[in-house]
Amino acid sequence: MSKVDSRTWTTAEAGAALAKSGADYVTLFSQGTLEIEIYRPVGVDRQQPHGKDELYVVIAGTGTFVHAGKSTPFQPGDTLFVRAGVPHRFEDFSADFATWVFFWGPEGGE
């Protein structure tokens, strides 16, 4: 990805990039240790623990977030933090579920 001084993404632009990719997620931007993605699993969340700390900001949909053995309902606008290496997943999410994902810091977390 190229380095830019500033950039904005609408959810429509991010969704279009995701649809074009054919994947569950697409990286929209990276600079230094920061990576910004949009994530939209279909049916089942199959992700594994990540090497960096991460923050989810729910764009659309509802469901349950399972993190470190605790289940928490989520809705649009909710923010969910996960330390590097901690197992987590989205369950029972609606068909319109999508979330921004922000990864940062060194491998292993801060």
Side-chain angles (χ1 to χ4, degrees), residues 29-51:
F29 177 79
S30 65
Q31 182 171 323
T33 67
L34 174 65
E35 295 176 32
I36 301 173
E37 299 180 353
I38 184 171
Y39 179 53
R40 185 173 185 197
V42 177
V44 177
D45 179 4
R46 292 182 173 86
Q47 67 177 312
Q48 298 296 312
H50 307 286

Side-chain angles (χ1 to χ4, degrees), residues 17-81:
L18 183 62
K20 185 177 177 181
S21 78
D24 287 346
Y25 71 93
V26 66
T27 301
L28 300 166
F29 177 79
S30 65
Q31 182 171 323
T33 67
L34 174 65
E35 295 176 32
I36 301 173
E37 299 180 353
I38 184 171
Y39 179 53
R40 185 173 185 197
V42 177
V44 177
D45 179 4
R46 292 182 173 86
Q47 67 177 312
Q48 298 296 312
H50 307 286
K52 293 182 174 185
D53 292 334
E54 65 185 303
L55 189 73
Y56 294 100
V57 179
V58 178
I59 297 168
T62 59
T64 303
F65 184 62
V66 179
H67 171 257
K70 182 180 176 187
S71 296
T72 305
F74 67 83
Q75 62 185 1
D78 286 354
T79 302
L80 311 162
F81 171 74

